[in-house]
Amino acid sequence: MRFGQIFCLFCAFISCSLVWLIYHSYKPSWFSDVLECRATVTKHVTLDLIFPVGVACAQPSVHTSRQDVSISTPWSAPIVWEETFDLVVIDNIYKYQNITVAATVFALGKYVRFLKDFLESAEQHFMVGYPVHYYLFTDLPNEVPEVKLGEERQLTVIKTPSLKRWQEITQSRMGMIEKLIEEKLRNTIDYIFSFDVDTKFHAHWGAESLGDLVGVLHPYLFGSSRQQFTYERRPESQAYIPSEEGDYYYEGAMIGGRPDKVYELAKTCRMQIEMDKDNQIEAVWQDESYLNKYFLYNKPTKVLSPEYMWHDEIQKPDHMKVVRFSQVIKKYAEIRPNT
Ligand code: UDP
Ligand code: MN
């Protein structure tokens, strides 16, 4: 090697070291902007619906599969009902991509009593065959029941402070979901769901429920007019929805989607809850009211039918061919910290 070449190599080495040193010492704003920009791009990538070669499936029909219920929203998001999807097709798409799912659940105070049924039934019916990581928030970690988990399924208990009012507990979930995604899940999982704990799975809840932003229709208010929806009607609240607006009434006991989308939802609702708190106002149905406001202006890309959110005290109408998940009957006075 000639002296000239050695000198060039030396200069290149010194320049690289200098750039590295300047970046780590000052982090110039143009450099951060470039990184920030790249981060935003990757955050919003959607999963492609890649289908493996050589898998035989039934041919799709060109006619609507259900006559009795709507299977699509006015913005063309699917409304998922029994007989509207082919699980063989769906599982081939998502298993091929090795997706992972997180499920959060909150059990504070006496609500720990619901955990056993929730977890055991989830193990039987929720995303069976996919890796699932439960994140369980509780102020009573010693009372978390032992539940045998399947292969590739795990549970992390996160100790949370006790709260005195049930309204605070249900609303505080938004901030905790936001923080969990920001600190742990953002780049490590593909989908996240959050559930009420006073619930039980009864039948298959699988990959047909996956989407960028997923909401579920309320079992009581399904079919009601928008004027009857129990939206927040006081203009002073951040959750306010005027009587001439509204698509559906969504249940607050489940939200789901890609981590970046659920993060935006949780953060927005958390901020609006705080703003209202500063103004001494609390929305009529707490986090559910803010969720309904969010979904009105940020439309869900997939809507789950009440099959995915039933209530044990309601009689099943004909259009409900299956109950996949329901809220159980509970004695409010017995389990809530305040009335
Ligand atoms: N929750 C809790 N402890 C409480 C009150 C509520 O852990 O004392 C959590 C729990 O996950 C529950 C959710 O907040 O499922 C929503 O509250 P709740 O089920 O009472 O509301 P509802 O479904 O009756 O409107
Ligand atoms: Mn509930």
Side-chain angles (χ1 to χ4, degrees):
M1 221 188 269
R2 294 230 193 100
F3 173 75
Q5 284 172 313
I6 294 174
F7 183 71
C8 281
L9 271 174
F10 178 72
C11 289
F13 175 75
I14 293 292
S15 320
C16 287
S17 307
L18 262 173
V19 168
W20 187 87
L21 210 85
I22 291 171
Y23 170 63
H24 281 279
S25 316
Y26 304 110
K27 289 216 166 113
S29 63
W30 58 267
F31 214 110
S32 320
D33 288 349
V34 172
L35 291 182
E36 180 63 25
C37 174
R38 229 187 274 150
T40 348
V41 173
T42 47
K43 258 191 321 189
H44 294 286
V45 169
T46 48
L47 274 176
D48 293 326
L49 302 180
I50 296 167
F51 194 76
V53 179
V55 176
C57 288
Q59 183 185 347
S61 168
V62 290
H63 301 287
T64 176
S65 55
R66 292 285 298 257
Q67 310 287 340
D68 52 346
V69 285
S70 173
I71 61 168
S72 173
T73 69
W75 57 94
S76 268
I79 306 179
V80 186
W81 294 92
E82 178 73 348
E83 293 175 12
T84 63
F85 56 89
D86 183 337
L87 203 55
V88 176
V89 176
I90 290 189
D91 276 342
N92 267 293
I93 292 170
Y94 290 99
K95 291 217 170 131
Y96 185 72
Q97 304 206 32
N98 293 325
I99 59 147
T100 55
V101 178
T104 66
V105 65
F106 298 75
L108 278 79
K110 294 193 175 137
Y111 279 61
V112 287
R113 69 177 61 175
F114 298 113
L115 272 172
K116 193 167 188 307
D117 275 359
F118 172 84
L119 288 169
E120 282 180 355
S121 64
E123 281 302 283
Q124 274 177 36
H125 302 293
F126 176 65
M127 296 303 299
V128 174
Y130 291 88
V132 171
H133 195 147
Y134 301 98
Y135 289 90
L136 159 56
F137 293 79
T138 182
D139 54 346
L140 300 168
N142 295 334
E143 290 185 31
V144 173
E146 282 259 336
V147 172
K148 192 172 167 351
L149 300 180
E151 214 181 301
E152 291 198 293
R153 319 240 329 173
Q154 49 181 318
L155 185 145
T156 299
V157 176
I158 301 173
K159 173 121 173 54
T160 48
S162 308
L163 291 165
K164 288 202 180 75
R165 296 176 63 241
W166 64 264
Q167 295 91 333
E168 299 257 344
I169 296 174
T170 109
Q171 296 206 136
S172 69
R173 293 183 293 176
M174 288 296 186
M176 289 196 253
I177 294 168
E178 175 193 354
K179 198 158 168 272
L180 179 72
I181 297 176
E182 188 169 2
E183 291 177 358
K184 267 207 176 138
L185 305 184
R186 181 154 242 162
N187 298 309
T188 57
I189 51 132
D190 297 298
Y191 292 96
I192 179 168
F193 286 94
S194 178
F195 295 106
D196 262 25
V197 71
D198 57 328
T199 53
K200 222 176 141 172
F201 291 84
H202 304 276
H204 169 91
W205 177 319
E208 75 286 351
S209 66
L210 301 175
D212 281 7
L213 186 61
V214 185
V216 64
L217 299 180
H218 198 289
Y220 287 103
L221 292 165
F222 173 78
S224 300
S225 74
R226 55 162 63 132
Q227 285 75 24
Q228 291 169 315
F229 290 162
T230 52
Y231 292 147
E232 174 55 62
R233 301 298 189 185
R234 292 167 296 175
E236 309 84 83
S237 169
Q238 294 295 319
Y240 169 64
I241 296 177
S243 61
E244 65 281 7
E245 289 184 48
D247 305 311
Y248 305 102
Y249 192 84
Y250 301 94
E251 238 293 349
M254 193 292 301
I255 49 175
R258 300 277 283 164
D260 59 319
K261 301 283 184 200
V262 176
Y263 174 78
E264 285 308 323
L265 178 162
K267 185 177 171 185
T268 307
C269 291
R270 190 263 304 156
M271 283 165 45
Q272 294 184 335
I273 289 166
E274 281 174 6
M275 273 197 248
D276 272 2
K277 209 170 169 186
D278 289 344
N279 294 320
Q280 280 88 48
I281 187 163
E282 188 171 76
V284 56
W285 289 106
Q286 296 79 38
D287 44 320
E288 185 173 86
S289 304
Y290 301 93
L291 177 72
N292 271 280
K293 169 83 177 275
Y294 189 84
F295 278 158
L296 177 56
Y297 302 115
N298 304 269
K299 308 283 193 208
T301 60
K302 189 165 273 186
V303 175
L304 305 182
S305 70
E307 290 170 8
Y308 294 79
M309 185 58 69
W310 201 239
H311 199 294
D312 284 354
E313 66 186 11
I314 326 176
Q315 270 227 306
K316 206 159 62 88
D318 286 346
H319 62 255
M320 284 282 296
K321 296 186 190 291
V322 55
V323 172
R324 304 176 190 279
F325 182 74
S326 72
Q327 299 227 46
V328 301
I329 297 169
K330 60 185 187 287
K331 291 188 178 136
Y332 286 99
E334 204 182 283
I335 53 158
R336 281 181 167 172
N338 60 311
T339 47

